[in-house]
């Protein structure tokens, strides 16, 4: 099929975003990896890089993963998060 999901890890505002990612992952054709997500109460929580990587591996995801960073100090933080993402997914 030529239809799939752009799995954006920051767009799951639920009590169990990782479960939601697992449910979507078999249909994923692209991943936008954010460094945090929001709880239903609005609290910003750091994403578990290894847990997301394991979800993608379990789904046998073979596509691209793009870091999408929207927080403070991008020039300082993007290289650090990129390394963390690469080591988790590598």
């Amino acid at each position: 099929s030529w239809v799939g999901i752009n799995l954006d890890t920051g767009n799951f505002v639920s009590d169990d975003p990782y479960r939601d990612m697992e449910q979507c992952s078999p249909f994923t054709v692209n991943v936008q990896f954010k460094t945090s997500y929001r709880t239903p109460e609005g609290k910003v929580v750091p994403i578990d890089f290894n847990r997301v990587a394991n979800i993608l591996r379990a789904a046998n995801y073979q596509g691209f993963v793009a870091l999408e960073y929207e927080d403070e100090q991008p020039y300082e933080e993007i290289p650090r998060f990129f390394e963390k993402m690469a080591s988790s997914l590598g």
Side-chain angles (χ1 to χ4, degrees), residues 58-76:
N60 198 32
Y61 178 70
Q62 301 291 313
F64 290 100
V65 179
L67 175 62
E68 184 176 346
Y69 185 78
E70 299 174 335
D71 296 321
E72 305 279 325
Q73 302 172 322
Y75 293 108
E76 292 82 18

Side-chain angles (χ1 to χ4, degrees), residues 6 10-11 14 19 24 27 36 38-40 45 52 56 62 66-67 71 75 82 86:
N6 174 34
N11 285 350
S14 73
R19 184 201 57 198
C24 292
F27 310 102
S36 62
R38 292 189 187 280
T39 66
V45 178
V52 173
L56 296 174
Q62 301 291 313
L67 175 62
D71 296 321
Y75 293 108
F82 181 80

Side-chain angles (χ1 to χ4, degrees), residues 18 21-22 25 50-60:
Y18 297 103
M21 287 180 220
E22 285 175 354
S25 63
N50 290 324
R51 192 164 177 190
V52 173
N54 288 334
I55 290 168
L56 296 174
R57 279 190 200 95
N60 198 32

Side-chain angles (χ1 to χ4, degrees), residues 31 33-35 47-54 56-57 63-68 77-90:
V31 176
F33 200 109
K34 290 201 175 98
T35 59
I47 199 127
D48 183 332
F49 283 72
N50 290 324
R51 192 164 177 190
V52 173
N54 288 334
L56 296 174
R57 279 190 200 95
F64 290 100
V65 179
L67 175 62
E68 184 176 346
E77 296 297 330
I78 288 174
R80 182 174 71 87
F81 282 118
F82 181 80
E83 281 298 318
K84 189 172 182 179
M85 186 179 78
S87 68
S88 294
L89 294 167

